Amino acid sequence: MLYAEVILPLPLVSTFTYSVPEEFCALVKPGHRVVVQFGKKKFYTAIVVSLTNEKPQGYEVKPISMTLDEEPILRRPQLQLWQWVAEYYLCSVGDVFKAALPAGLKVESETFMELNPDYEESADARLSEREAIILQTLDHAGKRMSVADIEKATGLTGVSVTAARLLDSGALVISEKLVERYTSRKVTYVKVSARQGDADALHKAFDAVHGAKKQEQMLLALLDMSGHTRKGSEPTEVTQSALLERTGLTQPILRAMATKGVVEIYKKEINRFRHNGMVTGELPVLSDVQSAALAQIHASWREKDVTLLHGVTSSGKTELYIHLIDFVMRQGRQVLYLVPEIALTTQLTRRLQRVFGDKVVIYHSKFSDNERVDIYRKVLGGREPMVVVGARSSLFLPFANLGMVVVDEEHETSYKQQDPAPRYNGRDTAMVLARMHGAKTLLGSATPAVDTYYKAKEGRYGLVELKERYSGVQLPEIEVVDTTNARKQGAMKGALAERTISYVRDAVADGNQSILFLNRRGYAPVAVCKMCAWTPKCEHCDVSLTYHKRIDKLVCHYCGTPYPLPTVCPACKEPAIEVHGYGTERMEDEIAEVFAPARILRMDLDTTRNKDGYENIINEFSNGKADILVGTQMVTKGLDFDRVRTVAIVNTDAILNQPDFRSTERAFNMISQVAGRAGRRDTRGTVAVQTREPSHPLFQYIRAHDYAGYYEEEIEERRKFNYPPFTRLIYIYLKHRDRAALDELSVAYGRRLRQLFGTRVFGPEEPNVARVQTLYIRKLMLKIEVNASMKKVKDIMRATFEEMHASGMPAVKGAIVYYDVDPY
């Protein structure tokens, strides 16, 4: 008897053993998807990790219910990467499984389904009775349903197996709230039945439609659009929609022509991600400085697997990436190009597609799940050269022949996954992925993470530096604007100092553009009663609510709960509620008056919720359809606009004054990056940094664009207080609905860990936000040596918590414990 060890998409520590029915023995291999029953009623898609003939002892083994693929959907390096992520980031491999695969590849009892309105049953793939019942049930319900709901409504069991087949056939789609509906991959085309050059057949076609004026009109239009009568060239394919739009006629007329044999209607599978623009194939021309840097990177890779490219903003790092991508792809290998934000894929993809055309593949979470499945299968099915551009989730694609990983803007905090598990760092995981494939890694940044630069300076990574902008363009002039003095002198208009306003107004008057950076979305960060100072807070989280004028609601930015804005204070019963502070929404409203008639765009989470949101805003601003762009940190990350002359950072203090040892690093990086959007072509840019603390030591380094000076001061601080990169941090979070039970548990857990790890343990303490979604939170911090085994640390912490659980401590019941390794 053959047995399979499988991973389930659940936060469970171990794998599970299932027997392999005889009819599946030849089909099942490591990396295969199978459907298994887990518990009494639930079915899940599982991944086979190994096979054995040894029967497990002590429990009854259930059989695999079904196999889902002819070939494995995971390659061996992927499984190895999953295991590494689970081990290093102290989570279960089931957590990694859930994050790594698109939902359409892991159907389970809780998966929500809906009908695909574009599906048409084909004659050569008739539906089974079970499949027809499921489709009819969804059709009658007129809404999305979970697999469990379908089972209840139909009386069928094992619906997830059938649903998986219907997903593969395109009859069903995964229902998602935040992404656009999947559009069919097949397009309907129309062509003239007569062979090109066959005059007799064409005469017969006209005879067939003689007397039917509309059919004759459509035939003439089709001949014209396709160029069927042109000599020396193949007819152009004409889509049904284009033909109907051109003629203004209807489908019944077209079908009548097909019945007569005049035209043929056919469907063709197309690549929805193909490049429709011009492909030049020409590599960008490099300056002498860039050419020297390119040679240094190649030389560095001969000795080291990882190289840091430290280049100032607008120094031409992307041009170097393109040359390196071409070098790797000419060797027949694949490239992963990681970016921290989806917004960056828009401009970057166009640049890459001009050189590499359809070999560019984009992958990120704004695609619908069905689109992500398509891309996943495209990468799985080919070993041909390609460059995949994507955010951190693209690390889990099934690369067959990876040759290089580029991590652009490697310092960005967006590479760190926060919730849910796995809480991995995309940059660090990328280096491990590259090593598993025998590939090279290039980290790029104008302001490298302190940890990364330290490793490069110590010789663990290669280091190549670009210290001047492309074509000799000057770095922007940075002016620190003292808002405290400006306010005293009456030189503030709302959130902007008059000095800042003059810079922006001059830029707009000269036909240039400006960016205003404010790292707070919404209209105003706080509402308060001016009589008694009462502030509305979320019922589920210990945070004040943010007012959003567009929807006229207070919103919790932690759990998303909306609340009405009170007209009367519930504490003092006075109609004295006011909103204070600035978010991007309020900033947009106010500057519309200050800079009228300037055209303004806003880029934040609220304006970019759909797939095309980023692209539309970036295109409009790039094409000069707006003069001012207001945005959150989305505007800081590598965007390239020709005409931006002025950048204003509105509230620098909110970035700088964070209770975290990395606060100055984040502030330096963010300010330098957003400043780098200014003056990227011929004119030197200007950056206004508004702050109440102009004497802060950080600003001397920012003014001078002195990363090296900042780094030397920061690394000594880290060394002095034994922070990364000299140690490794692990935050241990405990959550509970009962505050008293949580306090008891966190103190006991901290005491027990101190017995094992000594002075390496700090806490427990309340984090800045001590309750989220009705769960109270406490945090412990563990500082351990950089060479310590994460697996051993994980085993010790888990065993310790299990001992406390076994001891019968009441506070353990209902508690949630998780770990954040290398928090960022």
Side-chain angles (χ1 to χ4, degrees):
M1 190 71 181
L2 190 63
Y3 298 91
E5 287 290 317
V6 304
I7 302 170
L8 289 165
L10 300 169
L12 302 170
V13 175
S14 60
T15 57
F16 294 83
T17 307
Y18 286 80
S19 63
V20 182
E22 190 173 340
E23 63 269 28
F24 297 156
C25 286
L27 301 175
V28 174
K29 299 171 187 170
H32 258 114
R33 283 187 310 158
V34 294
V35 175
V36 298
Q37 184 180 358
F38 189 74
K40 290 185 178 180
K41 295 182 179 179
K42 293 187 177 180
F43 286 82
Y44 292 93
T45 301
I47 298 292
V48 177
V49 291
S50 64
L51 297 167
T52 180
N53 291 311
E54 187 174 334
K55 182 179 179 179
Q57 301 298 316
Y59 60 90
E60 182 183 352
V61 181
K62 294 177 183 177
I64 288 173
S65 301
M66 184 184 176
T67 62
L68 294 175
D69 307 288
E70 294 182 3
E71 297 293 332
I73 65 155
L74 253 68
R75 302 183 191 277
R76 182 170 178 77
Q78 274 180 286
L79 284 171
Q80 291 176 326
L81 184 69
W82 287 15
Q83 295 288 355
W84 180 86
V85 170
E87 183 176 299
Y88 184 83
Y89 291 104
L90 307 182
C91 63
S92 73
V93 72
D95 286 322
V96 186
F97 175 10
K98 195 154 190 173
L101 287 191
L105 292 177
K106 50 180 192 291
V107 181
E108 55 193 56
S109 300
E110 289 79 13
T111 301
F112 281 88
M113 304 283 187
E114 62 181 315
L115 293 173
N116 180 359
D118 300 320
Y119 173 72
E120 294 179 12
E121 184 180 357
S122 61
D124 57 346
R126 307 297 296 179
L127 294 171
S128 68
E129 182 180 355
R130 285 173 60 89
E131 291 170 338
I133 290 172
I134 291 172
L135 295 185
Q136 288 169 9
T137 302
L138 280 164
D139 189 31
H140 291 156
K143 63 179 181 179
R144 67 187 192 128
M145 296 177 71
S146 71
V147 173
D149 290 338
I150 296 171
E151 288 183 339
K152 184 183 290 186
T154 61
L156 299 174
T157 58
V159 164
S160 57
V161 176
T162 312
R165 285 198 295 262
L166 289 169
L167 273 173
D168 285 340
S169 69
L172 294 181
V173 294
I174 297 289
S175 178
E176 298 174 277
K177 293 180 180 179
L178 299 180
V179 295
E180 294 180 340
R181 168 166 289 188
Y182 170 63
T183 54
S184 174
R185 291 174 296 158
K186 292 185 177 179
V187 172
T188 304
Y189 289 87
V190 184
K191 68 178 180 180
V192 179
S193 298
R195 289 200 310 273
Q196 189 178 25
D198 191 338
D200 291 338
L202 196 56
H203 280 125
K204 287 179 181 178
F206 275 103
D207 290 341
V209 298
H210 182 67
K213 290 185 178 180
K214 291 182 178 179
Q215 293 182 23
E216 194 172 288
Q217 177 189 345
M218 190 171 284
L219 178 58
L220 287 168
L222 179 58
L223 288 169
D224 180 51
M225 293 173 73
S226 65
H228 186 86
T229 57
R230 286 196 303 264
K231 294 182 179 179
S233 64
E234 289 290 320
T236 303
E237 287 190 298
V238 178
T239 65
Q240 175 181 282
S241 59
L243 179 61
L244 296 179
E245 183 179 351
R246 164 84 173 266
T247 60
L249 299 175
T250 59
Q251 279 188 351
I253 296 170
L254 185 59
R255 284 198 293 267
M257 295 171 66
T259 302
K260 294 177 179 179
V262 175
V263 299
E264 290 180 23
I265 302 172
Y266 62 100
K267 288 191 175 184
K268 184 176 179 181
E269 189 171 303
I270 64 163
N271 177 2
R272 283 179 282 116
F273 312 106
R274 70 183 186 276
H275 177 50
N276 295 319
M278 182 180 294
V279 180
T280 65
E282 296 177 1
L283 297 174
V285 177
L286 300 182
S287 67
D288 291 342
V289 174
Q290 288 175 311
S291 296
L294 182 63
Q296 290 173 39
I297 292 169
H298 283 295
S300 171
W301 275 344
R302 285 193 284 272
E303 298 180 4
K304 305 236 175 17
D305 290 334
V306 180
T307 294
L308 170 64
L309 175 60
H310 176 208
V312 297
T313 55
S314 196
S315 59
K317 294 186 289 294
T318 305
E319 284 82 359
L320 290 180
Y321 300 155
I322 291 172
H323 276 262
L324 291 166
I325 290 166
D326 178 68
F327 172 76
V328 173
M329 288 176 65
R330 279 192 283 107
Q331 295 176 330
R333 305 191 72 182
Q334 299 165 334
V335 176
L336 173 59
Y337 192 140
L338 279 183
V339 293
E341 287 280 359
I342 297 167
L344 289 183
T345 62
T346 300
Q347 287 188 329
L348 178 62
T349 299
R350 284 199 293 266
R351 295 177 70 176
L352 293 174
Q353 285 177 330
R354 281 197 292 270
V355 180
F356 303 112
D358 287 339
K359 292 179 181 177
V360 180
V361 177
I362 307 102
Y363 186 84
H364 56 63
S365 60
K366 287 291 181 180
F367 285 138
S368 74
D369 187 74
N370 294 277
E371 289 173 317
R372 292 201 295 274
V373 170
D374 281 353
I375 300 167
Y376 189 96
R377 291 193 182 280
K378 175 182 173 68
V379 177
L380 177 68
R383 300 181 65 88
E384 70 274 10
M386 68 175 71
V387 52
V388 176
V389 182
R392 60 176 182 260
S393 58
S394 56
L395 285 163
F396 298 112
L397 288 171
F399 296 99
N401 193 16
L402 192 63
M404 178 177 73
V405 178
V406 175
V407 185
D408 197 16
E409 310 295 350
E410 65 83 29
H411 64 278
E412 277 292 344
T413 58
S414 302
Y415 281 123
K416 184 68 163 73
Q417 162 75 7
Q418 300 298 337
D419 282 306
R423 295 172 180 83
Y424 66 99
N425 188 306
R427 175 199 62 204
D428 299 340
T429 307
M431 290 186 275
V432 173
L433 173 70
R435 188 169 67 244
M436 288 177 172
H437 282 268
K440 301 296 184 183
T441 304
L442 183 67
L443 309 176
S445 177
T447 55
V450 169
D451 308 49
T452 303
Y453 199 68
Y454 174 79
K455 290 171 184 174
K457 296 290 282 185
E458 290 292 301
R460 290 174 58 185
Y461 301 162
L463 177 62
V464 176
E465 300 195 90
L466 281 170
K467 296 185 177 180
E468 62 181 58
R469 282 185 154 188
Y470 187 71
S471 297
V473 175
Q474 287 183 291
L475 288 164
E477 179 183 1
I478 296 179
E479 179 174 342
V480 177
V481 178
D482 185 346
T483 55
T484 302
N485 278 342
R487 207 171 295 281
K488 287 177 181 177
Q489 296 167 8
M492 291 286 292
K493 289 187 178 179
L496 297 180
E498 288 186 353
R499 186 68 173 160
T500 304
I501 291 171
S502 67
Y503 284 135
V504 175
R505 188 171 281 141
D506 290 346
V508 172
D510 292 342
N512 292 306
Q513 295 173 308
S514 297
I515 292 176
L516 301 184
F517 168 59
L518 176 63
N519 204 25
R520 169 79 74 163
R521 67 185 174 97
Y523 186 81
V526 67
V528 66
C529 174
K530 66 180 180 182
M531 299 297 291
C532 71
W534 174 83
T535 300
K537 291 192 173 183
C538 179
E539 296 174 0
H540 315 294
C541 312
D542 283 345
V543 290
S544 57
L545 300 170
T546 300
Y547 178 61
H548 288 249
K549 186 178 180 182
R550 181 181 57 84
I551 59 174
D552 192 27
K553 295 279 187 184
L554 295 166
V555 178
C556 174
H557 283 186
Y558 278 79
C559 69
T561 304
Y563 299 84
L565 179 68
T567 54
V568 175
C569 174
C572 68
K573 311 303 179 187
E574 293 291 330
I577 300 294
E578 294 181 336
V579 292
H580 288 277
Y582 282 83
T584 49
E585 193 179 349
R586 185 175 188 179
M587 180 66 63
E588 181 186 25
D589 283 355
E590 290 204 359
I591 65 173
E593 297 179 11
V594 174
F595 299 110
R599 299 159 297 175
I600 299 163
L601 286 171
R602 173 162 60 95
M603 182 188 283
D604 56 26
L605 184 62
D606 298 320
T607 61
T608 58
R609 290 191 182 276
N610 65 49
K611 182 176 64 179
D612 297 326
Y614 293 103
E615 187 168 357
N616 292 340
I617 293 169
I618 290 168
N619 285 343
E620 286 187 42
F621 196 63
S622 295
N623 295 332
K625 295 181 180 178
D627 305 300
I628 301 172
L629 176 64
V630 180
T632 57
Q633 60 181 351
M634 293 178 184
V635 304
T636 71
K637 301 175 182 179
L639 296 172
D640 188 7
F641 301 117
D642 292 353
R643 294 170 46 215
V644 172
R645 193 174 84 186
T646 300
V647 167
I649 302 169
V650 177
N651 188 3
T652 309
D653 305 303
I655 311 167
L656 190 57
N657 297 323
Q658 295 291 324
D660 188 286
F661 78 95
R662 295 187 193 271
S663 61
T664 55
E665 177 183 1
R666 289 201 191 101
F668 183 91
N669 291 351
M670 199 171 285
I671 294 168
S672 299
Q673 288 290 334
V674 73
R677 304 313 107 207
R680 296 174 69 89
R681 294 299 181 266
D682 302 325
T683 307
R684 188 182 188 189
T686 303
V687 181
V689 181
Q690 295 193 166
T691 177
R692 295 189 297 271
E693 299 181 71
S695 60
H696 195 290
L698 183 70
F699 293 123
Q700 63 177 319
Y701 299 117
I702 290 174
R703 280 197 198 96
H705 303 282
D706 183 9
Y707 174 83
Y710 159 72
Y711 166 79
E712 290 299 335
E713 180 172 310
E714 180 67 18
I715 201 69
E716 286 309 309
E717 283 284 306
R718 302 273 184 95
R719 193 192 310 273
K720 181 178 178 182
F721 294 103
N722 206 27
Y723 273 102
F726 304 104
T727 56
R728 177 173 288 139
L729 294 187
I730 301 173
Y731 289 165
I732 305 162
Y733 289 96
L734 299 98
K735 294 184 177 182
H736 206 295
R737 296 191 187 280
D738 185 326
R739 185 201 291 263
L742 179 63
D743 286 335
E744 179 188 354
L745 173 64
S746 59
V747 169
Y749 195 30
R751 186 187 308 117
R752 184 75 182 93
L753 289 177
R754 259 185 283 275
Q755 292 172 359
L756 298 167
F757 292 105
T759 56
R760 299 178 183 89
V761 180
F762 300 82
E765 64 177 20
E766 287 191 4
N768 297 330
V769 179
R771 185 173 63 113
V772 173
Q773 295 180 341
T774 72
L775 289 169
Y776 293 96
I777 309 169
R778 296 293 180 269
K779 183 178 81 172
L780 292 154
M781 183 174 73
L782 179 61
K783 279 186 183 179
I784 62 171
E785 293 76 8
V786 292
N787 58 354
S789 165
M790 295 305 291
K791 185 178 185 307
K792 288 183 180 178
V793 172
K794 177 181 178 181
D795 291 343
I796 291 171
M797 290 194 293
R798 175 174 289 125
T800 303
F801 192 76
E802 287 174 355
E803 285 173 17
M804 294 173 65
H805 198 285
S807 70
M809 183 179 182
V812 176
K813 188 175 181 180
I816 299 170
V817 179
Y818 64 88
Y819 311 98
D820 188 4
V821 179
D822 300 337
Y824 212 94

